[in-house]
């Protein structure tokens, strides 16, 4: 008896150790970036263009570029993703087609990000002749975040109780009216969560924008959808590997701004989900 | 009038439902369109098994064996590190941790998943790489080992969250039955919960590995990018993904080099397709 209890203690200790091995390094990553990045952050860093070959000045064009890309991606992905989710949760029958659609979504989520970059280059930049531009990059990122939006919107739609739909049908509403006025409003927090997670993913990805939009050094703001633009993740890659003698402070500061942008979106998503679960009426 | 409007909307919804199939096929077609052009001049067997990747020499040599081995080595290292830690953490979160800590841990894992890979690569460059260099007394810390460690952290969130789901979906009655027979909590986990959740955990591991194979930026920043057949984990290597990311910028559109990079993309696409389909089969089996 004593042996089994000792075995349990030892086993639980190792499980705890495994958890620590994940939690502690993650904590360290945050501490290091915040500690070393914070001194670089000031108004000039956020609002100025890069100067002296990115060794001084700010990161404003990179922030703006990322914001444009993310907005473009979501404008493309949200309508398609949401409608795909409505199809899967409200219309799809349990048949081969549905199975294939689900498999396609799983695969779309698993395609390596750099392969999205190749695809964007071949289709948007070269085939459609959009060139390396915000449009090409946003469309590439949009396809990449599609599975995130479909999966989370579908979960949100499916979590609306079936009885809600039955009541609506029994009052004479059509299927689309039911979806539009009953199911969608109740699923909005979940859809919002998925959308924000998609935004965060799009903001942080580098490989898909490498050949579709990213400009190495472009100290001005883009004027149209067909302009190249700087982007925050690519800028961090460039100043940490391609440009020698960049002040450590600028690198850490850029990493911090990117991290804060992405984590802020994720935190908002987590909070919305948490609030929603607390308030849920069913 | 309303009937027509609804008809149009419902057709639109159907079309969007099919969009993911359309995009997967589109991606594959465009990779094929650009990538297969390479095999007009290069023998496919030489492409896969060729030992030399010198794309810009004259004539270019396009053997991706060093890149495949580089990817495999880094992935293997990451798997060895991340599987025990990830599954252990999943068991801890699902079974052992008190409720409050559980929620915090889950949020923490989610945040780890959200860190952009270029930020992880940057942190790896400034912390891990110098450590590896000093500990093993190497000329450079940009090695397969550094890549493996950093990639393990990218695989862990996937492994933890899917494995935890699998453990959570084991019917409560299994656990109660084992406990009622006098098994300790650990015996129940080890003998009942883990076997019952095994196919879900396997799927978690596979998806984690899929994430590692496809990872690009962090790998490119910390593995050293030497396209040579690796002999040890303490050498610089270059992966399939990093090759595309590093060289596509310079490849001339329509050149052999350009086609070769797309051919590498086909290899990656097929690899990830196989991993995802297999993982999905395991997950599906679990749900039946």
């Amino acid at each position: 008896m004593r042996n089994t209890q000792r075995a349990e203690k030892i086993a639980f200790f190792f499980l705890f150790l495994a958890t620590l091995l994940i939690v502690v390094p993650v904590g360290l990553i945050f501490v290091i970036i915040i500690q070393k990045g914070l001194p670089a952050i000031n108004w000039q860093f956020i609002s100025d263009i890069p100067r002296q070959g990115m060794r001084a000045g700010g990161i404003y064009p990179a922030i703006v570029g990322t914001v444009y890309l993310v907005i473009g991606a979501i404008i493309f992905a949200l309508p398609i993703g949401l409608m795909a989710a409505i199809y899967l949760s409200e219309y799809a029958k349990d048949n081969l087609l549905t199975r294939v659609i689900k498999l396609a979504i799983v695969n779309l989520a698993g395609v390596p990000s750099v392969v999205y970059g190749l695809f964007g280059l071949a289709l948007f930049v070269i085939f459609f002749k959009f060139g390396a531009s915000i449009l090409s990059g946003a469309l590439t990122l949009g396809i990449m975040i599609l599975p995130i939006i479909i999966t989370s919107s579908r979960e949100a739609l499916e979590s609306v109780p079936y009885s809600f739909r039955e009541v609506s049908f029994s009052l004479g509403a059509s299927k689309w009216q039911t979806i539009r006025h009953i199911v969608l409003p109740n699923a909005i927090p979940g859809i919002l969560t998925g959308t924000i997670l998609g935004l965060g993913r799009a903001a942080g990805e580098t490989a898909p924008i490498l050949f579709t939009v990213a400009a190495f050094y472009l100290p001005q703001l883009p004027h149209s959808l067909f302009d190249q633009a700087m982007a925050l993740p690519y800028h961090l890659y460039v100043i940490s590997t391609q440009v020698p003698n960049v002040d450590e402070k600028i690198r850490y500061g850029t990493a911090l701004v990117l991290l804060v942008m992405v984590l802020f979106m994720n935190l908002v998503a987590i909070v919305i989900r948490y609030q929603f679960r607390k308030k849920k009426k069913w | 009038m309303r009937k027509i409007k609804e008809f149009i909307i419902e057709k639109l919804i159907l079309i969007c439902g099919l969009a993911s199939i359309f995009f997967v096929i589109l991606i594959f077609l465009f990779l094929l369109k650009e990538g297969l052009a390479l095999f007009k001049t290069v023998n496919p067997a030489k492409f896969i098994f060729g030992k030399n990747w010198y794309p810009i020499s004259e004539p270019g040599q396009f053997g991706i064996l060093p890149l495949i081995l580089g990817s495999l080595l880094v992935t293997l290292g990451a798997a060895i590190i991340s599987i025990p830690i990830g599954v252990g953490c999943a068991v801890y979160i699902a079974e052992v941790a008190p409720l409050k800590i559980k929620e915090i841990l889950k949020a923490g894992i989610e945040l780890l998943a959200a860190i952009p890979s270029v930020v992880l690569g940057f942190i790896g460059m400034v912390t891990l790489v110098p450590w590896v260099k000093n500990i093993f007394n190497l000329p450079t810390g940009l090695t397969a080992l550094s890549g493996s460690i950093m990639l393990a952290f990218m695989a862990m969130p996937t492994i933890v969250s899917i494995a935890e789901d699998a453990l959570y979906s084991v019917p409560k009655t299994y656990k109660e039955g084992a406990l009622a027979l006098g098994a300790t909590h650990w015996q129940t986990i080890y003998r009942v919960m883990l076997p019952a959740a095994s196919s879900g955990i396997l799927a978690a591991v596979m998806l984690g590995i899929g994430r590692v194979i496809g990872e690009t930026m962090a790998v490119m920043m910390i593995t050293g990018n030497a396209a040579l057949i690796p002999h040890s984990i303490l050498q610089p290597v270059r992966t399939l993904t990093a090759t595309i990311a590093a060289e596509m910028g310079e490849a001339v559109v329509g050149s052999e080099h350009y086609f070769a990079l797309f051919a590498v993309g086909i290899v990656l696409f097929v690899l990830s397709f196989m991993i995802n389909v297999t993982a999905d089969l395991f997950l599906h089996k679990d749900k039946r």
Side-chain angles (χ1 to χ4, degrees):
Chain A
M1 198 61 202
R2 184 169 284 167
N3 263 338
T4 57
Q5 261 163 17
R6 190 183 296 151
E8 173 162 302
K9 275 213 173 114
I10 294 171
F12 282 4
F13 170 74
F14 275 107
L15 294 180
F16 181 65
L17 199 68
T19 311
L20 276 189
L21 277 175
I22 300 183
V23 173
V24 171
V26 174
L28 271 180
I29 290 175
F30 285 112
V31 170
I32 292 174
I33 293 186
I34 293 172
Q35 203 182 30
K36 297 203 176 172
L38 215 49
I41 307 291
N42 53 40
W43 182 241
Q44 195 213 355
F45 187 68
I46 305 286
S47 66
D48 196 9
I49 58 167
R51 290 173 197 282
Q52 295 168 27
M54 296 180 267
R55 291 182 187 85
I59 53 172
Y60 184 58
I63 297 178
V64 171
T66 288
V67 170
Y68 283 170
L69 282 173
V70 166
I71 293 174
I74 215 74
I75 289 176
F76 172 75
L78 185 58
I80 298 181
L82 185 54
M83 292 223 264
I86 292 176
Y87 176 77
L88 284 172
S89 101
E90 309 296 321
Y91 289 94
K93 298 177 187 72
D94 194 10
N95 57 19
L96 186 68
L97 178 67
T98 309
R99 184 92 189 85
V100 173
I101 294 178
K102 285 181 182 165
L103 204 59
I105 295 172
V106 168
N107 271 300
L108 216 48
V111 171
S113 56
V114 73
V115 173
Y116 276 107
L118 284 181
F119 167 67
L121 172 70
L123 179 67
F124 301 124
V125 177
I126 295 171
F127 189 75
F128 284 151
K129 299 196 172 65
F130 293 157
S133 62
I134 294 181
L135 183 61
S136 303
L139 289 173
T140 310
L141 288 173
I143 296 176
M144 190 191 72
I145 60 172
L146 204 53
I148 301 175
I149 293 180
I150 297 178
T151 312
S152 50
S153 303
R154 188 179 134 229
E155 265 172 33
L157 292 166
E158 279 177 352
S159 75
V160 177
Y162 198 71
S163 54
F164 283 31
R165 298 175 178 83
E166 281 169 342
V167 170
S168 170
F169 290 145
S170 73
L171 290 172
S174 68
K175 184 145 193 170
W176 171 245
Q177 282 175 323
T178 305
I179 294 170
R180 168 78 188 73
H181 296 287
I182 306 297
V183 182
L184 272 181
N186 280 301
I188 279 182
I191 295 169
L192 209 58
T193 310
T195 309
I196 298 170
L197 289 178
L199 285 173
R201 174 88 197 278
E205 274 292 351
T206 319
I209 57 174
L210 276 177
F211 340 114
T212 51
V213 51
F216 191 78
Y217 177 48
L218 193 72
Q220 59 179 29
L221 297 185
H223 299 293
S224 87
L225 273 179
F226 294 97
D227 279 355
Q228 275 197 309
M230 294 181 82
L232 212 42
Y234 182 61
H235 185 64
L236 175 59
Y237 167 70
V238 167
I239 57 174
S240 46
T241 61
Q242 311 287 306
V243 184
N245 306 325
V246 176
D247 190 358
E248 281 279 274
K249 234 173 66 177
I250 294 183
R251 292 179 178 165
Y252 279 106
T254 310
L256 180 62
V257 172
L258 178 59
L259 195 63
V260 167
M261 258 173 101
V262 172
L263 290 189
F264 176 73
M265 289 189 235
N266 277 272
L267 274 179
V268 170
I270 291 175
V271 169
I272 292 177
R273 196 172 47 201
Y274 181 72
Q275 293 290 340
F276 179 58
R277 275 191 193 150
K278 246 182 22 187
K279 277 194 206 148
K280 222 170 179 177
K281 292 159 277 185
W282 55 86
Chain B
M1 188 59 206
R2 203 170 76 207
K3 278 239 165 100
I4 299 173
K5 192 179 136 204
E6 291 205 0
F7 179 80
I8 294 172
I9 289 173
E10 289 189 353
K11 285 294 164 253
L12 213 60
I13 286 174
L14 174 66
I15 292 170
C16 288
L18 298 175
S20 7
I21 301 180
F22 172 71
F23 284 130
V24 170
I25 295 174
L26 200 65
I27 292 175
F28 194 48
L29 281 183
F30 267 86
L31 291 178
L32 286 181
K33 172 177 170 282
E34 307 281 15
L36 288 184
L38 177 76
F39 301 121
K40 282 180 206 150
T41 50
V42 178
N43 181 341
K46 264 209 166 145
F47 175 69
I48 301 281
F49 299 109
K51 289 185 187 139
N52 299 308
W53 175 262
Y54 299 123
I56 40 179
S57 66
E58 225 17 90
Q61 284 183 288
F62 301 99
I64 61 167
L65 192 65
L67 314 178
I68 294 178
L69 290 177
S71 275
L72 282 182
L73 185 64
V74 173
T75 305
L76 189 72
I80 290 172
I81 300 167
S82 63
I83 293 171
I85 297 180
V87 175
C89 179
V91 173
Y92 185 80
I93 291 179
E95 288 293 318
V96 186
L99 200 64
K100 275 211 167 134
I101 297 181
K102 189 172 169 164
E103 289 304 317
I104 297 173
L105 284 175
K106 279 169 96 170
I109 298 288
E110 224 170 297
L111 289 186
L112 172 59
I115 301 177
S117 73
V118 67
V119 172
L120 279 179
F122 170 68
I123 278 292
M125 261 177 62
V126 291
T127 56
L128 190 63
V129 167
W131 288 342
V132 169
K133 182 180 166 184
N134 291 334
I135 290 172
F136 296 100
N137 207 1
L138 300 168
T140 169
L142 298 166
T143 59
L145 179 67
S146 320
S148 293
I149 296 173
M150 224 54 226
L151 282 184
F153 279 94
M154 315 203 70
M156 280 179 211
T158 311
I159 296 180
V160 173
S161 61
I162 297 173
E164 199 240 319
D165 272 350
L167 285 164
Y168 184 77
S169 60
V170 173
K172 277 247 155 35
T173 47
Y174 286 26
K175 191 174 162 186
E176 284 160 2
L179 291 174
L181 287 172
T184 64
H185 191 179
W186 169 241
Q187 285 170 331
T188 308
I189 294 172
Y190 184 63
R191 299 279 180 84
V192 179
M193 303 293 285
L194 282 177
S198 60
S199 61
I201 293 175
L202 209 59
V205 166
M206 296 190 65
L207 290 173
I209 289 176
R211 173 118 200 248
V212 169
I213 290 185
E215 176 41 49
T216 313
M217 297 314 289
V219 167
M220 179 157 71
M221 291 164 87
I222 56 184
T223 54
N225 288 329
L228 299 168
I229 291 182
H231 296 289
S232 117
I233 197 155
L234 295 174
Q235 282 180 341
V237 294
R238 161 175 270 193
T239 63
L240 294 164
T241 49
T243 305
I244 300 175
E247 294 178 6
M248 188 48 100
E250 281 118 55
V252 180
V253 174
S255 67
E256 255 187 340
H257 188 193
Y258 171 88
F259 295 138
L261 292 176
F262 271 91
V264 174
I266 298 176
V267 174
L268 274 172
F269 183 89
V270 171
L271 264 178
S272 76
F273 189 86
M274 290 193 306
I275 290 173
N276 283 300
V277 171
T278 326
D280 195 62
L281 284 178
F282 279 118
L283 277 179
H284 215 62
K285 186 175 130 204
D286 213 26
K287 276 179 187 142
R288 266 179 212 164

